[in-house]
Amino acid sequence: MPIKSAFTTSIDHVSILDAEARFDEKLGAGLIPDADLVKLYEHMCICRQLDEVAFKLQRSGRMGTFPQNMGQEATSMGAAYALEKTDWLVPCYRENAGLIWRGMPMEMILLHWMGDERGNAIPRELHCMPLAIPIGTQMLHATGLAWAAKYRGEKRLACTFFGDGATSEGDFHEAMNFAANLDIPVIFFCQNNFWAISVPGKIQCSAPTIAQRAVAYGMDTIQCDGNDIFAVVHCVRQAAKLAREKGRPFFIEAVTYRLGDHTTADDARRYREQAEVDSWKARDPIIRIRKFLTAKKLWDDAKEAALAERAEREVAAAVERAEGIAAPNRTDFFNHMYATIPPDLALQRDTAQTHGIGQDPSQIEGAVIELPAKSAH
Amino acid sequence: MANLTLVQAINLALIQEMERDDRVLILGEDVGPNGGVFRVTEGLHKRFGSKRVVDTPLAESGIIGTSIGLAIAGLRPIPEIQFEGFLGPAYDQICSHAARMRTRTRGAMTIPLTVRVPVGGGIHAPELHSDSPESIYIHQPGLKVVMPSSPYDAKGLLISAIRDPDPVMFFEPKRIYRAFREEVPEDEYTLPLGKARVVCEGDAMTVVSWGSSVVQCMQAIERSGRSIELIDLRTLYPFDMDAVEASVKKTGRCVIVHEAPKTCGFGAEIAARIMERCFLYLESPVQRVAGFDTIMPYYKLELDYMPDADRIARAIEETAAY
C-alpha cells in the first residue's frame, strides 16, 4: 500500500498596510472608513502618551511596576474596534489601547498599577475582564464566558489576548482544546512579540509559526502583521464571523514587537540587540498609519500638533484623577472577600485598627493595656 | 421522606437545583452518560441533556477555569473534580482566580461556583485517591469550604453551596458515600453554611470533627459510655467557633478529630481558638487525633493511618483522666 498523506495544511499571513505605507486595495478598501481611521490613530497616540507618562511616573516613584504597551497598540485596539461592544475582552496586561477604546477610563489603569484595587472595579457594561497577571490562565475564563453566551443562545463572543510565552502554559492548551471540542465561540489572539521577558520565541515554540498550534486542535487560524491595524481588523472580523455564525473558535497570531522592556522592573538591553529594536521601530504601527493618512491628505502637521497637545492634556488629567483619589479606607481590603462578610472576618476587620490582632475585645476585658506611642508613619 | 445514601442525597439535590434554576450546569470528566465515577450524577445527563451535564476534556484546570468564566457571565456551574488528588492542576485557577475575583474587582464580579470533590480514604483506592486536603483551601481567603458527614446534611448543604454567591469547595467524604442511609426530605431545604451540628449532647467532654471521621467519633463515644458532646462542624470556612466555644466552656475538655495530616491541619486552628476563647475553662489540654504527617499510605495500611474509633476512644480516656 502506498503511503498517503494524512493531513496537509497551510497558514495564511495577512498584511494590508506595510511599513512603507503601501496599501493592499483589494483587501483593505472599505475595511476601516477614513473617519474611523483618524479616530483610531488619535486614540493610539493618546495611549502612547499614557504609556510614556506611566513610565515616567514609575521612574519618579509615583507608580509601581508598569508594563509598557509601546509598539503593540494596533493589536488590542484593532480587535476592540472590530468586535461588538457586547463581546467580552479578556486581556493579559499589555492591552491598554483596546481597553481604553472600549471605554475603560485611563485613570483606572493607572490606579491598578498604583496598587489601588479600585482600578479594577470595571463597569459591567464594558464587558472587560480585569488585567490578568498570571500567564495564560485568562484564556480559560474567556472560554467560559463565551460558553455561557452559547448556553444562553446569545451571539456574543469572547476575545482573549496573550503573548507567545503564554502558549507554553498548560492552560493555553486546555482552553484551546475545550473551545475546539465543545464548539465555543472564542477568539484566541496571540500577540507574538518575540520575547517572554528575556526568553526568545524560539524557546517557546520551535515551529515556524505559533498559529500552527491551533491546527492541532482542529481550529481555524491565521497569522497577521500585528503592527498593521488593517490586517488585525480584517482577521478579527473573519474570526468573529465564523464564531458568530458557526459557534467555532478561531486563533489569530499577530506578529508584533514589544518596543519597551517587559516591565519597568526589567532591562531588555541585557538580552536583546539594539539593532533588532531599531528594525521594529521602523515598523511602528503609529508611524505607519500617520504616513497613510498623510498620503491621503487626511492628516497634516497642524493636526499632529493639536493632537500632541490634546494627548498631553487628557493624560495629565487622568493622572490627576488617579493621584487625586482619596486614600482607600484602611479596612477596605476586608470588604470584598465574600458577598456577606463572615462574622469572624468581620471581627478581624472591626478590631484591625484597635487591637491589631483581630481578637474579640472581650478576651482582654479588664486587663490594663498601655499601648506604646504611635509611630510617626 | 426517603431513606437515602449520601450519594443519593447529593444526586437529589443536584436534580432539584437544576430543575429550579436553568443557570445551573454540571461539568467535569465522566459526569455525563457515565454518571460520574461514583455515580453521583447518574441519570442527570439523560434528564437534562448534554447542554447542562457536560463531559469535558480531561483537564482539571480547564474545568475550573472555564467554570470561572461561566460564573462571571451569570451561570451557576458545578464542576466535579473526580478525586481530591487531582485538585493539584486546578489549584492555580481555584486560588489565583476563583478565590480572588470578587476582591480583585471590588465586588464587580462574583464567582458562584460549587466545586464538588470526593475526598478521604477508606475505600481501598489507588495512590492520590484518598487524601484530605481541606486545610489548604480553608487557608485560602475567598473560598468557602464544606464537608458533610450525613445524607441529610449533604443535601441541605449542597443546595446552600449552589445558591451561595461565592466559590465553595464541597468535599464529599467518599468513605461514607454508601456506608449508611438516612431519612432525607424529598422537598428542597437548605442548611446554613457556617453552622455546626451538635450530633449528640453531653457535659463531660467535647469532641469536634467533620467528614467521615464523625462516624468514627460516634462509635468511640458510644463505646466510652461517657457524657460526650459531639460537634460536627459541617462547614470548615466560615466555621462555627461559637458552637465549639459554648460546648467547651460547658465541658472543659476537648478532643479534635480529623483525617488530614496533623501539622497545620484544621484541628490546629480549632485548638488555638479554644486557647483564645476558653483558656480559663479548660480542665485538660486539647487533644488532636489526626492523620499522620506522611503521604497517605497505599490501601493495605490506610486504616492504620486514619483515626479510627480505637484511637479516638484512647484520646477520650486520656483526656478524661487528665
Side-chain angles (χ1 to χ4, degrees):
Chain A
M1 294 292 276
I3 294 173
K4 294 185 291 184
S5 170
F7 184 75
T8 53
T9 192
S10 67
I11 293 170
D12 292 339
H13 176 93
V14 178
S15 171
I16 296 174
L17 177 67
D18 72 10
E20 281 71 46
R22 285 178 302 224
F23 187 70
D24 183 332
E25 285 289 344
K26 198 172 154 211
L27 273 180
L31 193 61
I32 305 176
D34 288 347
D36 284 3
L37 189 64
V38 169
K39 272 191 208 155
L40 288 165
Y41 172 70
E42 290 172 342
H43 183 78
M44 274 166 105
C45 290
I46 292 167
C47 289
R48 182 68 64 90
Q49 171 73 8
L50 175 73
D51 206 62
E52 286 165 9
V53 167
F55 181 82
K56 288 177 189 157
L57 289 173
Q58 191 279 333
R59 283 292 187 263
S60 57
R62 289 157 71 185
M63 195 167 79
T65 302
F66 178 77
Q68 283 195 280
N69 286 225
M70 188 167 50
Q72 295 187 206
E73 291 91 344
T75 49
S76 66
M77 200 172 71
Y81 172 74
L83 293 168
E84 298 292 330
K85 286 204 162 178
T86 49
D87 294 333
W88 284 93
L89 289 188
V90 186
C92 52
Y93 44 73
R94 225 183 289 279
E95 282 79 41
N96 290 355
L99 295 172
I100 295 168
W101 179 266
R102 176 58 72 84
M104 184 94 79
M106 273 191 281
E107 61 267 29
M108 290 183 76
I109 287 167
L110 291 171
L111 277 173
H112 173 98
W113 297 109
M114 285 174 172
D116 190 328
E117 288 181 22
R118 288 174 293 182
N120 284 346
I122 301 163
R124 184 97 187 162
E125 66 274 14
L126 296 187
H127 304 295
C128 294
M129 288 287 287
L131 305 180
I133 302 299
I135 302 303
T137 50
Q138 77 278 9
M139 291 179 250
L140 283 165
H141 307 163
T143 307
L145 287 162
W147 184 352
K150 178 189 171 186
Y151 184 92
R152 291 174 151 148
E154 301 166 347
K155 289 283 179 199
R156 181 188 283 181
L157 319 174
C159 180
T160 182
F161 302 88
F162 49 93
D164 41 297
T167 67
S168 298
E169 292 276 4
D171 280 3
F172 163 79
H173 296 278
E174 298 196 17
M176 297 276 283
N177 199 37
F178 269 61
N181 298 348
L182 300 174
D183 291 326
I184 297 171
V186 54
I187 299 171
F188 293 94
F189 195 113
C190 177
Q191 303 178 96
N192 179 5
N193 68 7
F194 288 87
W195 292 94
I197 307 189
S198 70
V199 178
K202 65 175 192 280
I203 291 181
Q204 309 296 341
C205 178
S206 60
T209 70
I210 291 178
Q212 66 205 82
R213 290 193 161 171
V215 176
Y217 293 100
M219 195 184 295
D220 288 294
T221 182
I222 203 161
Q223 190 189 64
C224 73
D225 180 343
N227 286 12
D228 169 7
I229 196 158
F230 285 93
V232 171
V233 170
H234 172 84
C235 291
V236 173
R237 288 220 176 115
Q238 188 178 333
K241 187 168 186 288
L242 185 84
R244 252 184 264 283
E245 287 174 4
K246 305 246 171 75
R248 294 287 299 158
F250 199 101
F251 187 91
I252 297 169
E253 177 189 357
V255 181
T256 182
Y257 195 78
R258 147 167 68 85
L259 287 174
D261 299 325
H262 166 64
T263 66
T264 48
D266 174 43
D267 178 3
R269 289 172 303 183
R270 291 164 61 91
Y271 52 80
R272 67 182 189 187
E273 299 295 329
Q274 188 58 39
E276 180 186 293
V277 181
D278 290 342
S279 79
W280 279 97
K281 277 185 178 162
R283 286 177 263 181
D284 188 319
I286 289 187
I287 297 172
R288 199 177 301 195
I289 302 180
R290 188 191 306 149
K291 278 187 190 167
F292 178 79
L293 288 174
T294 306
K296 288 190 84 178
K297 308 252 181 276
L298 292 163
W299 200 252
D300 55 32
D301 288 348
K303 284 179 176 166
E304 185 68 20
L307 174 61
E309 186 277 327
R310 182 184 147 204
E312 202 171 308
R313 180 165 33 86
E314 288 188 12
V315 171
V319 173
E320 200 176 316
R321 287 193 294 273
E323 290 191 327
I325 192 171
N329 187 300
R330 282 181 62 193
T331 55
D332 185 56
F333 55 86
F334 288 93
N335 292 332
H336 298 291
M337 286 307 309
Y338 297 92
T340 305
I341 190 166
D344 191 61
L345 190 57
L347 183 69
Q348 291 182 22
R349 176 192 63 192
D350 296 344
T351 57
Q353 292 186 57
T354 51
H355 302 286
I357 55 172
Q359 288 185 342
D360 189 330
S362 69
Q363 284 177 246
I364 48 171
E365 208 172 300
V368 178
I369 300 169
E370 283 183 24
L371 294 175
K374 205 168 181 159
S375 60
H377 67 85
Chain B
M1 298 279 262
N3 206 21
L4 302 182
T5 63
L6 199 138
V7 163
Q8 291 168 327
I10 291 171
N11 182 272
L12 183 59
L14 292 172
I15 288 171
Q16 289 179 340
E17 281 304 281
M18 290 188 80
E19 276 180 348
R20 177 181 168 272
D21 184 350
D22 64 10
R23 296 174 304 168
V24 176
L25 72 159
I26 290 170
L27 62 153
E29 295 152 11
D30 301 306
V31 297
N34 193 39
V37 290
F38 287 103
R39 306 287 177 263
V40 175
T41 55
E42 184 145 46
L44 298 187
H45 181 264
K46 200 172 173 192
R47 190 165 183 148
F48 296 103
S50 50
K51 183 184 167 193
R52 296 189 67 198
V53 183
V54 186
D55 268 339
T56 66
L58 180 78
E60 288 78 12
S61 188
I63 292 166
I64 302 300
T66 52
S67 293
I68 289 169
L70 289 163
I72 291 168
L75 300 183
R76 299 259 165 177
I78 309 176
E80 177 182 296
I81 300 296
Q82 222 161 54
F83 287 90
E84 76 293 314
F86 309 139
L87 273 170
Y91 179 84
D92 187 27
Q93 286 291 345
I94 293 170
C95 294
S96 302
H97 291 294
R100 306 173 70 101
M101 198 63 78
R102 176 185 290 280
T103 188
R104 174 186 293 154
T105 61
R106 315 313 293 151
M109 292 177 183
T110 65
I111 310 290
L113 172 72
T114 303
V115 187
R116 287 188 41 252
V117 193
V119 286
I123 63 158
H124 285 205
E127 188 182 13
L128 283 166
H129 289 64
S130 303
D131 295 317
S132 296
E134 67 268 23
S135 290
I136 294 168
Y137 299 94
I138 299 166
H139 197 63
Q140 171 62 51
L143 300 176
K144 293 182 177 177
V145 181
V146 177
M147 198 189 299
S149 71
S150 74
Y152 176 86
D153 282 7
K155 184 181 171 191
L157 291 167
L158 181 56
I159 292 175
S160 293
I162 295 167
R163 295 180 190 177
D164 196 276
D166 291 313
V168 180
M169 298 298 293
F170 194 85
F171 289 123
E172 299 167 4
K174 56 179 99 83
R175 189 184 193 183
I176 54 171
Y177 261 153
R178 294 183 170 81
F180 59 94
R181 290 173 177 272
E182 190 175 68
E183 291 294 322
V184 176
E186 282 169 45
D187 292 340
E188 62 179 78
Y189 60 93
T190 59
L191 292 173
L193 303 186
K195 286 286 170 212
R197 169 170 69 109
V198 178
V199 181
C200 57
E201 293 191 14
D203 54 21
M205 189 181 305
T206 302
V207 173
V208 179
S209 192
W210 53 89
S212 71
S213 295
V214 170
V215 179
Q216 311 298 310
C217 291
M218 286 160 71
Q219 292 169 8
I221 288 167
E222 206 169 303
R223 196 189 302 174
S224 78
R226 296 177 186 274
S227 171
I228 293 175
E229 188 144 291
L230 175 59
I231 293 178
D232 172 6
L233 284 179
R234 301 202 284 199
T235 305
L236 306 179
Y237 194 88
F239 61 97
D240 193 352
M241 192 56 212
D242 290 345
V244 176
E245 178 182 357
S247 180
V248 172
K249 281 182 174 172
K250 179 171 75 174
T251 66
R253 297 173 200 271
C254 186
V255 174
I256 303 162
V257 183
H258 61 70
E259 208 176 301
K262 187 170 187 175
T263 298
C264 292
F266 192 51
E269 180 63 36
I270 301 295
R273 297 292 178 113
I274 291 170
M275 289 300 291
E276 286 178 1
R277 294 206 191 181
C278 313
F279 178 64
L280 295 177
Y281 295 82
L282 289 175
E283 305 283 345
S284 63
V286 175
Q287 290 285 333
R288 282 180 289 160
V289 184
F292 301 106
D293 292 343
T294 68
I295 300 295
M296 179 75 166
Y298 288 7
Y299 65 76
K300 280 193 177 173
L301 290 176
E302 71 176 336
L303 294 180
D304 293 276
Y305 175 94
M306 297 162 67
D308 58 8
D310 284 346
R311 275 167 66 195
I312 300 164
R314 194 180 319 139
I316 287 172
E317 293 312 314
E318 283 176 10
T319 301
Y322 188 87

